[in-house]
Every structure is written in structure tokens, then in C-alpha cells.
């Protein structure tokens, strides 16, 4: 036979009092009197047949049974709070949660997001940035901007844009005896690169430029995030093998320059990804349309 769950009021009083180690603070948190907390916990102890607290002259202490019971009760209430928050947020159709890469959020999305807020002031956008893929089954995220080939099973993937790969640097590096007049001059500079899927960008670009790949084996700085490599280039630490998505704004502002004309098209690209069952909700449609307008593809869906 299943064990009966004790009084929820008693459990709530116990969890709060054990967390604060104070009946007074528990009473303040639960908006009841200290006497009520004491009575609820005493009834809980009677119901369970064990003592949970030692009532000492200088305060409270958990008994061995209380210590054993508290972690499970605390976890249960934490899960209840989380489930309740998720339920309430899911009912709020004005909240749109977008997951994307850290560097994409910093260098491309956030500088443009004000225009979406102006166009759709009733949609509350929340951006969560991570290098990990989002699991839509766990909830909490409406759509994502991902980098890849677009073949994510069970998801709608709308093409946004491809990257062009080319070197960029601070305008200061174009001056002086080590000026970048020819790709072979890169041998005199520190090359900045990003680890992960873009780690071979320098080799690919140098091959296209007719330069030996070993030129990329000289002085190098490697970063985990593209935004860090781009900032290092802005600061004059070397020449970064840039991707257009991440360097476009810095080029327009004059913080970076492209010393050579050669640009390579990447085989991969950015996609707006959403579960099929929610892909056509008004808030997701609004963001998709705005994104595609922002990258020049119009509002096709």
C-alpha cells in the first residue's frame, strides 16, 4: 500500500524552517505567525512519529531524522516551484524565448534586437546564449538560431544566411614595416582563430589564396568564442580569420578592416529552428519574419 503524504502545510513549514533554521524567518516567508509554524511542525512530527527539530535555548537544530528528511522535501518543493513557473510562463503568449550561440547573440542579434522590440512591443523577448544545443522537449525555449547544415530531425529549419570567411585586423596593422600588402605578409603577424567547427578556417583560406598551409602554423592565439577572437583583432593583437556574421558591424564602424579581397563561402549556415508544433504560433512567426527581413530575405516562411 502506498504511503500517505503528510500534511502539505506541515511540510511547507518544515521546509522553510529547515532552510532558514528559524521559525521566525519561516513565519515571515509564509506570512503566518511563529506560533502557527511551531504548531504545524509539531503536528507533522506527530503524524510522522519522529522528531524533526531539536528546540534549543540558542536556536534550532535538525535531528538525524530531520537531516535525512530535509533534502528530499526541499527538492520536492523546488520542483513544484519550477513546474508552476513553467506553467505560468507557458500561458503568457507574449514571452518569446530564443536560444542561440554566445557569439551570434553578442555580435549580430543583440545589436539589432531593438528594431524587433519597436515593431512588436507586446512580445517580451528573452535570449538565452549557450554553446549547447537546446532540447525543445524540456520546454522553456520557443525557437533557436543554430549553425549547421539545417538537417535537424523533427524541427523546422528556416535558412537565414551563410558566412564568408576572410582575414580582418585593426587598421593599425596596415601601417609600418609589417603592413599587410600580400597574403604572404601574414607570416609576420600573430594569427587569431577560433576552436571547434571553425578551427580549419585559416588553412582553407590560405589554400584558396595560394599560400602554404604551414603559414598558419606560426604564432597563433586560439579562442573558444568568435567574439573573443574578433575583440582581440580590434585590440590589435593579430589578424583574425573572420566570419562575416561576427565582423560585419566592426567593419562598418571602422574598428576592423579586411586587408585582402578574397572571401570564401562557408558550406554551413545559420538557421532559425523551431518545433513543428509551435513553428506557426504568432510570436514565433513574428520573430522569423523579422529575422529574415533583417538578413535581406524578406518574410518568406
Amino acid at each position: 500500500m502506498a504511503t500517505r503524504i503528510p500534511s502539505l502545510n506541515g511540510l511547507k513549514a518544515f521546509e522553510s524552517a529547515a532552510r532558514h533554521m528559524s521559525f521566525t524567518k519561516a513565519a515571515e516567508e509564509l506570512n503566518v505567525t511563529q506560533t502557527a509554524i511551531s504548531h504545524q511542525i509539531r503536528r507533522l512530527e506527530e503524524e510522522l512519529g519522529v522528531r524533526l527539530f531539536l528546540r534549543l535555548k540558542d536556536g534550532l537544530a535538525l535531528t538525524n531524522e530531520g537531516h535525512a528528511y530535509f533534502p528530499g522535501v526541499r527538492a520536492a518543493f523546488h520542483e513544484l516551484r519550477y513546474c508552476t513557473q513553467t506553467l505560468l510562463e507557458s500561458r503568457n503568449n507574449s514571452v518569446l524565448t530564443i536560444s542561440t550561440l554566445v557569439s551570434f547573440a553578442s555580435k549580430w542579434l543583440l545589436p539589432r534586437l531593438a528594431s524587433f522590440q519597436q515593431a512588436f512591443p507586446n512580445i517580451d523577448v528573452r535570449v538565452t546564449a549557450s554553446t549547447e544545443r537546446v532540447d525543445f522537449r524540456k520546454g522553456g525555449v520557443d525557437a533557436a538560431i543554430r549553425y549547421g547544415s539545417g538537417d535537424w530531425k523533427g524541427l523546422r529549419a528556416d535558412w537565414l544566411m551563410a558566412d564568408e570567411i576572410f582575414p580582418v585586423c585593426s587598421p593599425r596593422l596596415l601601417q609600418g614595416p609589417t603592413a599587410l600588402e600580400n597574403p604572404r605578409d601574414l607570416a609576420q603577424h600573430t594569427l587569431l582563430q577560433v576552436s571547434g567547427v571553425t578551427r580549419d578556417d585559416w588553412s582553407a583560406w590560405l589554400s584558396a589564396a595560394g599560400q602554404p598551409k604551414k603559414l598558419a602554423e606560426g604564432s597563433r592565439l586560439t579562442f573558444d568564442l568568435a567574439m573573443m577572437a574578433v575583440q582581440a583583432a580590434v585590440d590589435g593583437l593579430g589578424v583574425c580569420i573572420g566570419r562575416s556574421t561576427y565582423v560585419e558591424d566592426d567593419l562598418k564602424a571602422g574598428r576592423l578592416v579586411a586587408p585582402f579581397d578574397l572571401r570564401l563561402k562557408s558550406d554551413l549556415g545559420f538557421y532559425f529552428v523551431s518545433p513543428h508544433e509551435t513553428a506557426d504560433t504568432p510570436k514565433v512567426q513574428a520573430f522569423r519574419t523579422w529575422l529574415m527581413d533583417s538578413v535581406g530575405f524578406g518574410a518568406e516562411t
Side-chain angles (χ1 to χ4, degrees), residues 56-257:
L56 308 174
K57 291 183 179 180
D58 56 349
L60 291 176
L62 286 169
T63 63
N64 290 337
E65 292 82 359
H67 273 294
Y69 199 37
F70 176 53
V73 174
R74 178 178 56 185
F77 274 100
H78 175 78
E79 185 67 18
L80 282 172
R81 294 185 188 102
Y82 174 78
C83 291
T84 301
Q85 179 182 359
T86 301
L87 172 65
L88 295 177
E89 288 186 351
S90 68
R91 294 177 60 193
N92 184 358
N93 291 328
S94 69
V95 177
L96 175 66
T97 302
I98 302 294
S99 173
T100 186
L101 299 171
V102 176
S103 293
F104 186 88
S106 174
K107 301 300 293 183
W108 195 92
L109 181 60
L110 296 185
R112 294 166 172 78
L113 201 53
S115 68
F116 178 82
Q117 293 175 309
Q118 291 172 358
F120 301 93
N122 294 326
I123 298 180
D124 178 13
V125 179
R126 299 182 183 179
V127 178
T128 172
S130 172
T131 57
E132 302 295 327
R133 285 187 179 182
V134 62
D135 186 350
F136 290 104
R137 294 171 299 180
K138 293 182 178 179
V141 173
D142 297 297
I145 300 171
R146 286 183 177 172
Y147 186 76
S149 57
D151 55 348
W152 294 287
K153 186 177 180 180
L155 300 174
R156 171 174 171 173
D158 293 276
W159 167 263
L160 293 177
M161 56 186 162
D163 268 329
E164 289 185 328
I165 304 167
F166 53 95
V168 293
C169 64
S170 167
R172 298 192 301 273
L173 293 192
L174 298 185
Q175 305 168 2
T178 58
L180 290 164
E181 298 177 353
N182 188 285
R184 61 175 174 268
D185 295 332
L186 290 167
Q188 309 301 319
H189 293 269
T190 298
L191 302 187
L192 311 176
Q193 62 183 22
V194 183
S195 60
V197 296
T198 62
R199 61 184 177 274
D200 295 325
D201 281 1
W202 264 123
S203 296
W205 189 88
L206 288 169
S207 294
Q211 300 299 312
K213 291 184 179 180
K214 66 180 181 179
L215 194 151
E217 298 173 1
S219 178
R220 286 183 295 176
L221 284 175
T222 302
F223 302 88
D224 290 336
L225 300 175
M227 57 184 288
M228 297 169 63
V230 172
Q231 186 58 49
V234 171
D235 293 339
L237 298 184
V239 183
C240 176
I241 185 64
R243 286 187 168 238
S244 51
T245 304
Y246 299 135
V247 302
E248 178 183 347
D249 289 348
D250 289 308
L251 287 170
K252 289 180 179 178
R255 292 184 291 267
L256 291 175
V257 293

